[in-house]
Structures are given as structure tokens and as C-alpha cells.
Amino acid sequence: MFEVKHKDNLGRTGKFTIADHKIKTPTLMPVVHPGKMTIDVKSLGAEIVITNAYIIYKNDELREKALKMGVHRLIGFDGPIVTDSGSFQLSEYGSIDVDNKEIVEFQEAIGSNIGTSLDIPTPPYAGYEKAKRDLKVTIQRAEESLNYRKKMMLNAVVQGSTYPELRSECARRLSTMDFDVHPIGAVVPLLESYQYKDLVDVVMATVEFLPPSRPRHLMGAGHPMFFSLAVSMGCDLFDSAAYMLYADDDRLLSSSGTYKLEDLQEMPCSCNICVEYTPRELKSMEKDDRRDLIATHNLYISFAEIRRIRQAIADGNLMEFVEQRCRSHPRLLDAYRRFLDYQELIEKYDPVSKKSAFFYGGPESLKRVEVYRHLKRMKRLHRKRGVVLLPACEKPYSANLPQMDILFSSAPVEVDEWDFMVVDIPFGLIPLTLDEFYPLAQSESPSILDSDSKKFIKSLISKVLHEYDAVLVSRDLNEKFGLGFTYEMPAPKIEIPHRERLIAVADYQFGEGAGEALFNGNLEIVKSKRTGRIRYVYVDDELIASIRTSDGFIIPSWKGASLLHSKLDYPRCRVVVDGESEPFAREGKNIFAKFVIECDKNIRANDEVLIVNEDDELLATGKSLLCSEEIMDFSYGQAIKTRRGRR
Ligand code: GUN
Ligand code: ZN
């Protein structure tokens, strides 16, 4: 049972229920060596831990104890415990002497909460045929494990080496079976050799085909430096043996890298250990004492990073956080750049509105999903014959444009219908009609352009030259981008009629035709006294919509929703609920994902939606908390926050 709370890119915060425990995700599961638990991981933030069933199984004393008193008492942890199967030992030593059935049944017998079958961790860059053969065994053993377990939850590890198509195929196959968590396996060698870019391909090829309703565990990724990018790719669980392994080697983890104790003049953080001890004091200690103190620091740092990531998702600024983290190592920057190549997939999951503004963090930001989505959604807008390109200014642009009497064109033009667009970073071209819409209005970028930004803008301008019959540019743009327009033209009056603005916003938000559906008739506008912006829109004396101040979104009234419903063909903007939940929807109760039987593929988290029954009768309006793929996949938790029902 897994429920998503906040989303950002492919990342999510959620609640994972195991037995009677509710675990906040993303989270880190410290690896606890059975019989060697020397530090109190719970007090450092661990809500769930992972241990190795094979090690217990192979040791007579541990095995007897575990069978008698259970794994929870054996390792002294009363929260959920995940057990691994010995596959890691298999990959390290080539063979192990236990079979799949034995080890799965053993895990259940010792009371593990989530058990793991005996997958085959095919290393990166293995031969294709070997990877494929191994994968067949991995999938078969996972499938068998469903018959061996009684009540225990089950991991099903995704393998496939560095072949994206094998990873995808594995994810697809496992997703049709009844598993609870999907670890992504055999990535440790990629992490150890800093091949983060290849790891991105592995994770993205996997996540695309895993059911969003199941938590994903990036196995063996214990360095906090990589957590935020992994979370952005949709990983929910991490395990850390690193905290102890690094400590044993006198190395201190940080969110941007690793420190060797021998190099430290100063303690690098503000945890209890780093405040209380100096490097000199640590160096002079007994090995075991020192190891436990460094391990404590390492876990402290790791959980601090996890908490900051969860906060960033709730705030909607996970990418700003990732951009900072990925600047601490060029290989991480590579990985981030590779991640940005998956815009189409990311766009499906990224919410359309967030609490935070978009902060430009460098040229990579131009490839962020918000920019990709904007350029895609621009195609939804009606286009006039000519366009006027205006220089960036303070926001909102339409209220702060400089006085311009003369504009420039490449040839004399005779067009009397103009679109007006501001040229700015990161979104490139922003129609004045959309200058209050998220994230176009809620973005910050430096005023001095880097060369990538200049190139980006230039390429957009050259596209515009093909799309319009006439293009006028300001003197400033003409010079800055070397356009060489020589004809001077009197500037057309910049005017954005209310109806035009509203239609553009509606088409951009809901898709083509929504504006005509909503704002056709005699318009009456009520503006906010404080901001001067449109707050309420009446058409022929009926309230059609309000405009949300924070992000400029149109919130349709009941009448507005009815108009959208009658003018936009099924299934556009629709979420279809079953008969059982119809009365609840009509009463304005929130919609749970399990009652949804169909929905528009284009629905994104935070979209305004129409809630209908199987006969496409409008029952209610609401805000989607999830995207279409998630709405259809989850059978637990809320999908739509209902605004009002039909009564
Ligand atoms: N621990 C680290 N990598 C792996 C893996 O691929 N499979 C299993 N079962 N455990 C692991
Ligand atoms: Zn510290």
C-alpha cells in the first residue's frame, strides 16, 4: 500500500504502509549486519532497515536465533525489515549454496516484512546473450517466489545489465505480477566507477515501465551525492551499507562527495559528532570507536539529505536542488544532462503547477521539462498573421514594457493582426496573453545571457520567421541577436483584449478549443482591487471561471465546466468514475483512484478536470492530484480533489 503525496518531475513523496508502520518516502534503509549492529540507526532517522537473509541462513547460531525469536529481535529493530536473498554474494563469489525456494521460505520463517527472490545481478556491460539468459532466470525466480510466500511482501528485482531494452522488458513483465516493491539491481558497479550517465539510462528505461503505484528501490546506492537525482528519476528507496563501509575506511560522506579523515583540518558538518570532536581527536581514537562515530556522522548526513529532498518535492523545487548537487562532480553533471534527454517521459509525471518559481540554474535549465512543456503547449494557441517580438522586462511583462515607437522588419509588411511575444530566458518566447500563467510568470533568470541561452533564443526566432507572414522586432533584439532587420516600421499598439487573453490561457491550459467553449458571449470581468488582475469572468451574466492568483490557472465554475464538457469531445479533460462512486462524486466528495475506470491521457497532476460517469454525464469538477498513468494504476489513495458536485 503506497500513496503519493507530493510530486516533482518523476520524484514523489509518499507513504508506504508495511504491517502497521507507515514509512515516509523517499527514505534510506540502513543495511544492518546481523549480529553486528553497533549504532542506533533508529535514533538517526531510520524508519525501515534492510539485512541479509543469506548471512543469517549460513550462520548456525544466527539461523537458530532468527528462527526462534524472529529477525526483528535478532537485529534489535522493531520497525519494518527488508531482507535480501544472497544475490549480492552470488555476484561477488560466483555461487552460493541455497536455492530460491529455500531462501524465500526462510525469509518468511524469520518474519521478514519484505523478502527477495534469488535474482541474478548481471554486471554492467555484460554480453547481450548472457544478460538475456540471466534475466530469464531472474524473472522466473521472481514469479516462483509468489508461490513460496504466504503473507510476506515481496521485492521483484529488475535486472538486464546496461541494456535499456532488457531493463524495460523486465520491468514490463514484473509489473504484470503481484509484487510490492521493485528494486533496480546490479547498479553498484556503475556507482563505484562513477558511470552515473549510464545509470540514468538504466533507471529511466526501468522506471518508464514499472507501475507508478509501487515503490522503487535503487539497490546499493548509498552515497547521498546521488540521492536527489535518483529521486528525480522516480526512485523511492535507498539502502546504505556505505555509512559503515566508508566509516571503516575512515571516510566521511557528504552530500557533495567524500572526505578522508587523514585530510581533514576541520570537521565538515554540523552534526553532533562533527561539533563535538576534532579530526585530531578522532584520529587518535581506538579504531572501533572512531568507526562508529564516523558511521553516525555518515548516517546523519544521509538522512539530512533525504529530508531536504522530501522538502524540495513538497516545495516544487527539486530540480533547483538537483542542479546544485550535480555541480559537485562533472560525472554527476553528465548524468543530469542525460536525465534531461528524457523530457517526454518526465513531462507525463511532472505537475503543471508548483509552489515554487522556476530558477534558472545554468544552461541545463533550458532543457528542463517546464520549458519543453511550454514550447509544446504553445502549439495549442491560435496564431495571427504577424508577430511582434519584444525585449524582456520586469514581470508581469504586459505592465512593464518599455515605450517603443519604431520596430524593425526584414521587408516591408502589410499585416494588421499581431501576436505579441516577449523574448526571455528560460522559456524563450512568452506570449503577452500568458504573462500571468505558471511558470512563465513565476521564473527568475539572470539578465546576462550565456551563449547557450543566446543560441536557444536565436533558434526560436528563426522558427518564428517561418511560422508567421510578418515579424517585427524591437531595436534591442535586432541588435542583440544580430538579426539585421533594416526596415523601420511604426510599432502597432500593444493591446491585449480580455477575451484574447482568456482564450489563450484556456487553450494553453486545457487544449485547443477550450477558450472558444468558455468565453463566447458578453464578457464581464471582475478584477482584484489589490493586483488589478482578472479574478472572475462572467459570460452573459453567468459566472464562468475564476483565475487563481498564485499561478494564473482558470478554475471553471459549474457553468464553465458544463461548457467545457459540452464543447470538448470525450475523453478530453475527463476522469470517468464507476457507478459505485457516482453518488459520492455528485456530493462533491474526493475521488479515490480505485474508482476511476478511464481518463484523458493528457491529464497531469494539478490539472483541472471534469468528473463524469460511464455515460459521460458531468458529475463534478476537481483538481487532479496525479497524472493519467498514476490515476489508472493506483488502487489506493486519492486521485482527484473534488471542487464541487452536481448536487
Ligand atoms: N544488492 C546490490 N545489488 C543487488 C542486486 O542486484 N540484487 C540483490 N538481490 N541485491 C543487491
Ligand atoms: Zn558530521
Side-chain angles (χ1 to χ4, degrees), residues 250-290:
D250 285 334
R251 287 188 295 165
L252 285 79
L253 297 174
S254 94
S255 54
S256 57
T258 310
Y259 297 101
K260 284 191 191 134
L261 179 62
E262 63 185 63
D263 296 338
L264 284 182
Q265 307 295 313
E266 307 285 346
M267 295 305 282
C269 99
S270 51
C271 79
N272 290 342
I273 309 300
C274 293
V275 170
E276 192 172 332
Y277 298 92
T278 63
R280 185 192 294 264
E281 284 166 345
L282 282 177
K283 284 176 208 164
S284 64
M285 270 179 197
E286 291 293 329
K287 165 81 183 169
D288 284 5
D289 296 338
R290 180 170 69 238

Side-chain angles (χ1 to χ4, degrees), residues 47 53 75 109 130 141 145 211 224 227 243 264 287 296 346 368 408 416 428 476 485 527 544 562 605 610 627:
E47 292 191 275
I75 66 169
K130 173 181 164 49
R141 288 182 181 170
S145 70
F227 289 170
Y243 76 97
L264 284 182
K287 165 81 183 169
T296 301
I346 302 167
R368 276 180 52 178
F408 294 81
D416 51 8
D476 180 66
F485 288 6
K527 289 190 177 179
I544 296 297
S562 310
L610 308 171
C627 69

